[in-house]
Amino acid sequence: KLHYSNVTDTDFNLLLTAINCCNNATQNNNGFIGDATETSLKNFVAKCSPSLINLPATKLDELPFDSSRKLMSTLHEINGKKLVFCKGAFDYLIPHCSHILNNGKHVPLTMQDKLLIENAHNKMASSGERVIAVAYKQSNELNENNLTFIGLVGIVDPPKTETFMAIKQC
């Protein structure tokens, strides 16, 4: 599920490219395999823009997700450009962002922007979505500084079967 406004087709394709590239799910004849979050993101990209799934993007480096950083970042080369893509928890990602993509333009990220993004994040989270923040930048090296915020993606995460048993036991 995606919530956005003032987004151009180019911005939306960049968001899709970011969540497709900053992702370790793989594809076989039965669909995508890997972490549930990453396969959900790949399925979303495939639904919105099937051609992006096979985008010729070479992964050059990766900072894997870990529970203390709550971020994953990758460095890719696409059409001769080197791009860093980052996804993760909003409150961990936003401090790394200096700009925001707004209607096709990179503009400095203001406190007002941060509050609007936080409100959108909270609204999505309060409706039961797992929210993933997405950012990027053009760079020859993998680092998570001075990123441009692209958007938020919400995943509807139904309760696991074990949840019902745990609640019943309690």
Side-chain angles (χ1 to χ4, degrees):
K1 193 171 173 185
L2 181 70
H3 305 273
Y4 60 91
S5 61
N6 292 333
V7 176
T8 65
D9 288 345
T10 302
D11 295 349
F12 184 63
N13 281 333
L14 181 59
L15 176 69
L16 294 175
T17 299
I19 62 176
N20 184 54
C21 289
C22 191
N23 196 315
N24 287 321
T26 58
Q27 187 174 20
N28 68 15
N29 293 337
N30 298 319
F32 296 104
I33 301 169
D35 173 78
T37 299
E38 296 200 339
T39 57
S40 293
L41 293 172
K42 286 278 191 177
N43 281 315
F44 180 69
V45 172
K47 180 180 177 184
C48 294
S49 183
S51 63
L52 282 179
I53 290 296
N54 298 315
L55 178 73
T58 304
K59 186 189 285 188
L60 304 173
D61 202 357
E62 177 180 327
L63 290 172
F65 180 87
D66 77 44
S67 58
S68 62
R69 285 182 341 101
K70 297 190 183 194
L71 298 173
M72 175 186 181
S73 297
T74 59
L75 175 65
H76 280 78
E77 184 167 350
I78 302 172
N79 298 325
K81 289 183 183 178
K82 291 183 180 172
L83 301 168
V84 173
F85 298 112
C86 186
K87 73 175 195 292
F90 161 76
D91 49 338
Y92 285 76
L93 179 76
I94 205 72
H96 296 274
C97 296
S98 59
H99 288 77
I100 185 170
L101 196 59
N102 186 348
N103 203 17
K105 297 182 178 152
H106 294 251
V107 295
L109 182 65
T110 66
M111 185 55 75
Q112 183 180 6
D113 292 325
K114 289 179 184 179
L115 289 173
L116 289 171
I117 296 164
E118 184 176 14
N119 288 340
H121 169 273
N122 292 343
K123 184 177 179 182
M124 293 167 73
S126 69
S127 70
E129 296 175 51
R130 187 156 29 111
V131 184
I132 298 168
V134 185
Y136 91 111
K137 71 176 179 177
Q138 190 169 336
S139 177
N140 289 327
E141 62 183 54
L142 180 57
N143 67 61
E144 296 168 335
N145 301 319
N146 299 314
L147 297 170
T148 297
F149 179 81
I150 304 172
L152 301 171
V153 179
I155 298 174
V156 177
D157 199 9
K160 296 182 171 98
T161 308
E162 310 86 58
T163 305
F164 298 108
M165 290 297 289
I167 291 170
K168 188 176 180 179
Q169 286 178 338
C170 287

